[in-house]
Amino acid sequence: VDEFDLIDRLIAPLATAPGAQGLGNDGATIAPGPGCELVITKDMMAEDVHFLADDPPDLIARKLLRVNLSDLAAMGARPLGYLLGLSSDGRRDETWFRAFCKGLQQDQEQFDVSLLGGDTIASPKGVLTLSLTAFGEVPVGHSLSRSAVQPDDLVAVTGTIGDAALGLRAIRGELAELDESKRMFLSDRYRLPQPRTVLGPALVGLAHAALDVSDGLIADAGHLASRSRLAVNLDWTRIPLSDAGRTALNRDSGLKSVVLGGGDDYELLFTFAPANLDQVEAVAFECGVTVTVIGTCAIGAGAHVFAPDGQEIGLQEDGWRHKS
Amino acid sequence: VDEFDLIDRLIAPLATAPGAQGLGNDGATIAPGPGCELVITKDMMAEDVHFLADDPPDLIARKLLRVNLSDLAAMGARPLGYLLGLSSDGRRDETWFRAFCKGLQQDQEQFDVSLLGGDTIASPKGVLTLSLTAFGEVPVGHSLSRSAVQPDDLVAVTGTIGDAALGLRAIRGELAELDESKRMFLSDRYRLPQPRTVLGPALVGLAHAALDVSDGLIADAGHLASRSRLAVNLDWTRIPLSDAGRTALNRDSGLKSVVLGGGDDYELLFTFAPANLDQVEAVAFECGVTVTVIGTCAIGAGAHVFAPDGQEIGLQEDGWRHKS
């Protein structure tokens, strides 16, 4: 009971939206703005799978929120709020929960969202398991979809690719040949994704299809291809890499499969008509997000990555399965 | 991976609403009807806390959905759909998941809701942990609240009270003095709540305040009292009991505290102006739900239960804490 009261006390100040009703009712209320509908998404995270027991609690909280905000962005939705589910094994103290809630508060301010409600349960035989449902709004019927790729579309991606998967290796003690600042950069990219919450909504009406890169670039390009029944062809040399990522790759070309197959980047992968290229670049500039055209779509099937010599690059390992 | 594919395959047919987008995108879309807003609620359930490993999987699924639908009903919202989160420890086979999904399907038909999306994760060191977010609609600004009790309101409750808590005792092998049919009735009431999804929305504009009885009658009446800053006074003799509940109580008057303090009934407890009594009874009749007036509200504080001699009945044990 003490732990519940503690969590309640720490969580209450996060419920800033009127619809949260001070967390005093059986549920919350939410309505999309005029001409809009809601986009809803739910991602779970469990200890020892999605985070480790000694990870900083504020980063666990912020990653949980951000992976959901990234799903909203991929659908073109502006974030509004979220419900939090927390199943506790009772092995954490007040300091831990205080840091966890501080992380949520920090990101609530950054992304202008409010806690709306949720549930806390005790599960002594389980592990800490988190569930978050995020709510956003998008003009009715205009949410971005994986199945709306058009033949001849250009394919673009935000930010840089592969950092998160390389960061996970750095956290595990690999990539020791990189200097510490590069390893830190990569591990931060794994621990704290940057959901493209401003660009996503700005792509509504401009992009044809979109998703966020959570399963890995090849796997996610494959989702676009299979859902749209077209081929997505990417140029290896155009895939944007960070300095740290490029350095790692220069030292070990075998990491190519990590870059192409690793997940958790939470960048947007989207397609649009070539005629809209200038506008896409202008919108990306306004949003302060780097966008790189990395390929084209065509009649056909599957996602393919080509080397400069025109040879297709095969993946040495599959992107890990990671639902999002 | 096999388990994920299995779950995906079994869950896919449940996503019947267009907004679920065939579970093919990063999220789903939902919009309240004209003049309405959404009510959202999230309840979690974990093995060994809210259900046991050998409980029938279809009943686990249906209870998970129904406790959430009950929250919607308590807010006066008509149910629309839900997101499902499932954290699996990998110890269940296809038969189990098939039965689980069949339970969901059965209740989807009964309550006219659709799966909209969700997330499945593997958590080998955890226990099966379920999270469900339910969505309903209510006329804008008219959701029922715990804080809207008026002095002189009548207090009413649906169905019968105490069955679930007695049922949990029956499941644990207690109440052996009851015949098997009564023990079965009570344990069914624990395992499969009957959310008042038709009456709840019908009470909008008619009831002042409402919640569902999940923490126990006294505790939940206390929630109405504290949130509304009034007193809620109940007559013990008017509290509706089932035949089985009355029989158990006649044999052991000590079970009174179980009836008053035990939770999980998922009946609606609501208040309304005395002038509306006839209309409340007519609406309840139309909805096929028994409604019993069990008390009155007044200037004051707290929830109180009185015996026929006017003495207040104290609880011998607290209602267990059970977030909902």
Side-chain angles (χ1 to χ4, degrees):
Chain A
V1 171
D2 280 356
E3 189 187 27
F4 281 123
D5 287 343
L6 167 67
I7 296 172
D8 286 353
R9 202 172 67 240
L10 293 173
I11 279 180
L14 301 174
T16 54
Q21 309 193 358
L23 305 181
N25 284 319
D26 286 293
T29 53
I30 187 171
C36 287
E37 61 188 342
L38 290 180
V39 172
I40 54 179
T41 184
K42 181 193 196 85
D43 272 345
M44 296 181 84
M45 284 173 43
E47 184 185 325
D48 278 332
V49 181
H50 304 87
F51 58 88
L52 300 174
D54 57 356
D55 280 350
D58 58 324
L59 292 187
I60 295 171
R62 296 168 76 191
K63 183 161 186 176
L64 174 68
L65 180 54
R66 288 172 178 223
V67 298
N68 280 283
L69 296 183
S70 181
D71 283 331
L72 295 183
M75 301 269 293
R78 189 177 73 88
L80 298 171
Y82 67 98
L83 298 174
L84 176 67
L86 196 156
S87 175
S88 169
D89 57 13
R91 287 194 285 271
R92 278 158 191 88
D93 61 8
E94 176 164 350
T95 306
W96 195 96
F97 283 111
R98 198 172 284 282
F100 183 85
C101 289
K102 193 166 181 180
L104 289 176
Q105 186 181 10
Q106 194 173 343
D107 272 2
Q108 287 197 184
E109 286 163 19
Q110 179 166 345
F111 296 104
D112 195 18
V113 295
S114 166
L115 177 76
L116 294 166
D119 194 16
T120 308
I121 63 170
S123 177
K125 293 185 186 170
V127 297
L128 181 67
T129 305
L130 305 166
S131 170
L132 195 142
T133 305
F135 301 82
E137 64 179 6
V138 69
V140 174
H142 286 76
S143 61
L144 299 173
S145 154
R146 297 177 175 196
S147 56
V149 179
Q150 300 295 314
D152 306 324
D153 268 3
L154 297 178
V155 182
V157 72
T158 59
T160 54
I161 293 297
D163 297 331
L166 293 169
L168 184 59
R169 300 210 162 197
I171 290 167
R172 290 175 174 162
E174 301 176 40
L175 309 186
E177 71 282 9
L178 292 189
D179 63 47
E180 177 154 352
S181 69
K182 288 194 167 63
R183 288 204 309 275
M184 282 287 286
F185 169 84
L186 294 171
S187 58
D188 282 353
R189 287 274 290 159
Y190 173 76
R191 287 203 166 114
L192 195 62
Q194 304 295 328
R196 304 307 183 179
T197 55
V198 178
L199 182 64
L203 290 176
V204 168
L206 192 56
H208 285 148
L211 47 54
D212 66 339
V213 180
S214 53
D215 295 345
L217 184 64
I218 293 274
D220 287 310
H223 295 325
L224 288 180
S226 64
R227 295 281 304 172
S228 299
R229 296 164 191 262
L230 290 168
V232 174
N233 301 316
L234 309 181
D235 291 345
W236 164 250
T237 54
R238 300 169 83 178
I239 293 171
L241 302 174
S242 65
D243 279 352
R246 185 165 302 281
T247 304
L249 214 61
N250 285 343
R251 300 206 179 177
D252 177 3
S253 66
L255 292 174
K256 196 180 280 186
S257 62
V258 176
V259 169
L260 292 173
D264 272 334
D265 280 320
Y266 299 101
E267 297 292 351
L268 294 184
L269 179 69
F270 60 99
T271 80
F272 57 95
N276 285 335
L277 177 58
D278 287 351
Q279 207 179 336
V280 166
E281 287 181 337
V283 162
F285 182 80
E286 274 171 43
C287 296
V289 177
T290 307
V291 162
T292 309
V293 173
I294 60 171
T296 53
C297 303
I299 303 296
H304 312 274
V305 183
F306 296 97
D309 62 4
Q311 290 291 304
E312 184 170 352
I313 298 173
L315 259 193
Q316 278 141 49
E317 53 178 304
D318 282 345
W320 70 80
R321 160 122 194 172
H322 176 85
K323 296 267 300 179
S324 69
Chain B
V1 173
D2 280 354
E3 188 186 29
F4 281 121
D5 288 341
L6 167 67
I7 296 173
D8 286 353
R9 201 172 69 239
L10 293 173
I11 278 181
L14 301 174
T16 54
Q21 309 192 359
L23 304 182
N25 283 319
D26 286 293
T29 53
I30 187 171
C36 287
E37 61 188 342
L38 290 180
V39 172
I40 54 178
T41 185
K42 181 193 197 82
D43 272 345
M44 296 180 83
M45 284 173 43
E47 184 186 325
D48 279 332
V49 181
H50 305 87
F51 59 87
L52 300 175
D54 58 356
D55 280 350
D58 58 324
L59 292 187
I60 295 171
R62 295 168 76 193
K63 183 162 186 174
L64 174 68
L65 181 54
R66 287 172 179 224
V67 298
N68 280 284
L69 296 182
S70 180
D71 283 331
L72 295 182
M75 301 269 293
R78 189 177 74 86
L80 298 170
Y82 67 98
L83 298 174
L84 176 67
L86 197 156
S87 175
S88 168
D89 56 14
R91 288 194 285 270
R92 280 161 188 85
D93 61 9
E94 176 163 351
T95 306
W96 194 95
F97 283 111
R98 199 173 283 283
F100 182 85
C101 289
K102 194 166 182 181
L104 287 177
Q105 187 180 9
Q106 194 174 339
D107 272 3
Q108 286 197 186
E109 286 164 17
Q110 179 168 344
F111 297 103
D112 194 19
V113 295
S114 165
L115 177 76
L116 293 167
D119 193 18
T120 308
I121 63 170
S123 177
K125 293 185 185 172
V127 297
L128 181 67
T129 305
L130 305 166
S131 170
L132 195 141
T133 304
F135 301 82
E137 64 178 6
V138 69
V140 174
H142 287 76
S143 61
L144 299 173
S145 154
R146 298 178 174 196
S147 56
V149 179
Q150 300 295 312
D152 306 325
D153 268 3
L154 296 178
V155 182
V157 71
T158 59
T160 53
I161 293 298
D163 297 332
L166 293 169
L168 183 58
R169 298 209 165 200
I171 289 167
R172 289 175 176 163
E174 301 176 41
L175 309 185
E177 71 280 9
L178 293 189
D179 65 45
E180 176 153 352
S181 70
K182 287 192 169 62
R183 288 203 309 275
M184 284 285 287
F185 169 84
L186 294 172
S187 59
D188 282 354
R189 287 276 288 161
Y190 173 76
R191 286 204 169 114
L192 196 62
Q194 304 294 329
R196 304 308 183 177
T197 55
V198 179
L199 182 64
L203 290 176
V204 168
L206 192 56
H208 285 147
L211 47 53
D212 67 339
V213 181
S214 53
D215 294 345
L217 184 63
I218 292 274
D220 287 311
H223 295 325
L224 288 180
S226 64
R227 296 282 302 171
S228 299
R229 296 166 191 259
L230 290 168
V232 174
N233 300 315
L234 309 180
D235 290 345
W236 164 251
T237 54
R238 301 169 84 176
I239 293 170
L241 302 175
S242 65
D243 279 353
R246 185 166 301 283
T247 304
L249 214 60
N250 285 343
R251 302 209 178 176
D252 177 2
S253 65
L255 292 173
K256 196 181 280 185
S257 62
V258 176
V259 170
L260 292 173
D264 272 334
D265 281 319
Y266 298 101
E267 298 291 351
L268 294 184
L269 178 69
F270 60 100
T271 80
F272 57 95
N276 285 336
L277 177 58
D278 286 353
Q279 206 179 336
V280 166
E281 286 179 338
V283 162
F285 182 80
E286 273 171 44
C287 296
V289 177
T290 307
V291 162
T292 309
V293 174
I294 60 171
T296 53
C297 303
I299 303 297
H304 311 275
V305 183
F306 295 97
D309 62 5
Q311 290 290 303
E312 183 169 353
I313 298 173
L315 260 194
Q316 278 142 47
E317 52 178 306
D318 284 343
W320 71 80
R321 161 124 193 170
H322 177 85
K323 296 268 301 179
S324 68

